[in-house]
């Protein structure tokens, strides 16, 4: 029952406006105030399109996130490019599938990197992740048992880690000791112990992290493309006529 409450809380996130949209459209669902994910595209780190060349075919965001071969994905995009909304959308979508009885749907965990200090011990890292996910869901009194259930479900989970760029650099008094290296080491460590765990990490367009990703065999890194002009025009036209 506790897991049902947890998944229900995540599913409800799809009906909540995010960030800047809150004040202007407090009752509009997320899909009504943000361009749909199905028209968003990404580029692999090694094959980014030339600036302004939006007609060069990109890779489908849905396909990579939901059906990509790599267990870990790093999604790099500038502020306001939709990284947090994308995490929220897919976590909500997977929660809905699980509640609808899809036995193949992974259990979603949505966390902010600020709430998960880097740890040397994988068990402590796993505990910090599940604690942060339950806290993020806001299920209150149901949280205690939900944490235990989620820790037992990590081998069939999908972890969304947002806000890595907000973590202070290593050595800062308030730092959780995250760095590009510890992020990648943590992903590798989790994969060793939870072989079926899939992970999506979002971060701003940062050259120091991109360089680490390019050298890593543990992740597939992608740039989040801006929406194409024609998709924006179609979206705005439809939005005002419905």
């Amino acid at each position: 029952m506790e897991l049902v409450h947890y998944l229900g809380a995540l599913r409800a996130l799809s009906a909540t406006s995010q960030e800047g949209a809150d004040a202007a459209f407090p009752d509009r669902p997320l899909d009504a105030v943000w361009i749909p994910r199905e028209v968003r595209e990404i580029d692999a780190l090694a094959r980014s399109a030339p600036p302004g060349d939006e007609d060069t075919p990109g890779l489908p965001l849905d396909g990579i996130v939901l059906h990509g071969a790599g267990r870990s994905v790093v999604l790099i995009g500038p502020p306001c490019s939709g990284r947090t909304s994308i995490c929220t959308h897919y976590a909500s979508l997977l929660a809905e599938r699980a509640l609808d009885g899809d036995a193949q749907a992974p259990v979603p965990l949505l966390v902010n990197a600020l709430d998960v200090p880097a740890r040397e011990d994988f068990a402590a890292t796993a505990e910090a992740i599940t604690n942060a996910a339950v806290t993020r869901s806001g299920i209150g009194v149901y949280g205690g048992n939900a944490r235990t259930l989620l820790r037992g479900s990590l081998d069939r989970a999908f972890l969304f880690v947002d806000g890595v760029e907000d973590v202070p650099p290593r050595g800062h008094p308030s730092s959780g000791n995250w760095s590009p290296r510890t992020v990648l080491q943590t992903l590798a460590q989790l994969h060793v112990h939870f072989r079926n765990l899939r992970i999506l990490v979002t971060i701003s367009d940062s050259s120091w992290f991109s360089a680490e990703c390019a050298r890593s065999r543990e992740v597939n890194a992608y740039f989040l493309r801006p929406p194409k002009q024609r998709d924006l025009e179609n979206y705005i036209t439809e939005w005002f006529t419905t």
Side-chain angles (χ1 to χ4, degrees):
M1 181 61 70
E2 287 80 4
L3 192 57
V4 170
H5 284 286
Y6 169 78
L7 293 171
L10 289 189
R11 179 174 62 179
L13 293 177
S14 65
T16 304
S17 300
Q18 296 292 306
E19 298 175 346
D22 287 344
F25 307 104
D27 300 319
R28 300 298 295 270
L30 183 60
D31 284 341
V33 296
W34 198 260
I35 190 165
R37 261 65 50 185
E38 59 265 22
V39 302
R40 299 302 300 272
E41 293 180 339
I42 56 180
D43 285 307
L45 192 62
R47 60 170 293 273
S48 59
D53 187 6
E54 66 172 27
D55 292 327
T56 302
L59 303 170
L61 178 62
D62 269 5
I64 297 298
V65 173
L66 295 179
H67 308 295
R71 288 171 297 176
S72 286
V73 172
V74 173
L75 191 60
I76 304 170
C80 298
S81 62
R83 290 167 295 131
T84 298
S85 295
I86 285 169
C87 287
T88 302
H89 167 76
Y90 286 119
S92 177
L93 175 64
L94 293 176
E96 183 173 10
R97 290 183 181 178
L99 288 170
D100 287 344
D102 184 353
Q104 301 301 316
V107 177
L109 295 95
L110 179 63
V111 304
N112 190 289
L114 283 169
D115 300 323
V116 186
R119 306 287 179 86
E120 295 294 331
D121 178 9
F122 90 92
T125 300
E127 183 175 2
I129 287 170
T130 53
N131 287 344
V134 170
T135 301
R136 172 71 175 79
S137 72
I139 60 174
V141 296
Y142 301 102
N145 289 335
R147 289 182 177 88
T148 301
L149 292 170
L150 289 179
R151 279 196 289 273
S153 302
L154 278 173
D155 198 45
R156 58 181 186 89
F158 198 132
L159 172 62
F160 300 90
V161 184
D162 192 31
V164 173
E165 70 279 358
D166 296 327
V167 177
R170 192 178 184 88
H172 189 280
S174 61
S175 173
N177 293 323
W178 282 114
S179 70
R181 189 175 303 278
T182 56
V183 170
L184 296 174
Q185 288 175 341
T186 298
L187 298 183
Q189 182 186 64
L190 288 170
H191 283 157
V192 168
H193 296 280
F194 306 106
R195 300 187 64 84
N196 297 312
L197 174 66
R198 294 197 65 206
I199 304 172
L200 172 67
V201 177
T202 71
I203 193 166
S204 59
D205 194 356
S206 168
S207 59
W208 53 264
F209 195 80
S210 300
E212 293 283 346
C213 286
R215 293 194 296 267
S216 173
R217 297 180 180 179
E218 305 296 337
V219 302
N220 292 326
Y222 301 92
F223 288 114
L224 181 62
R225 282 187 166 201
K228 294 179 179 178
Q229 182 66 28
R230 61 177 178 271
D231 290 327
L232 280 173
E233 292 173 355
N234 292 338
Y235 174 67
I236 292 171
T237 299
E238 182 179 351
W239 195 86
F240 278 109
T241 57
T242 58

